[in-house]
Amino acid sequence: MALVFTHPQFRVIVHARTGAISVRIYFPALFLAEFYSQAIEWLQRQQIVFDEKDLKIYSDGSFRIYFKTQLSPETEYLVLIAMLEEQEGRSLN
């Protein structure tokens, strides 16, 4: 049985030798079906920095991206979650 993710998978990665921090986030297809515009809006923020080579798009429409940020990676992830919760609140009203 396949494991199906419905929420973004977030991970902070620290390089073993250099200590450089990068962040990986995976946006599953089921999540993107409902929150595509919020995910794109979040990625377009100036605080999120990445290149085309940092993006991998999968055949099911999901994608994974490595990015850097000047703020705390956890803070940026919480901004994404807040955007999603705001959208869900609008959908319920």
Side-chain angles (χ1 to χ4, degrees), residues 5-23:
F5 292 112
T6 57
H7 292 81
Q9 304 299 307
F10 170 80
R11 184 174 202 174
V12 176
I13 302 164
V14 180
H15 191 279
R17 283 186 276 148
T18 66
I21 295 174
S22 62
V23 187

Side-chain angles (χ1 to χ4, degrees), residues 76-88 90:
E76 292 301 338
Y77 182 67
L78 292 175
V79 168
L80 172 62
I81 298 304
M83 290 171 69
L84 300 175
E85 289 174 348
E86 181 180 321
Q87 176 61 30
E88 283 182 330
R90 281 190 228 142

Side-chain angles (χ1 to χ4, degrees), residues 55-71:
L55 174 66
K56 174 154 177 129
I57 300 172
Y58 297 97
S59 61
D60 67 353
S62 63
F63 66 91
R64 177 203 71 210
I65 190 163
Y66 288 89
F67 68 92
K68 295 184 189 295
T69 180
Q70 296 172 356
L71 300 176

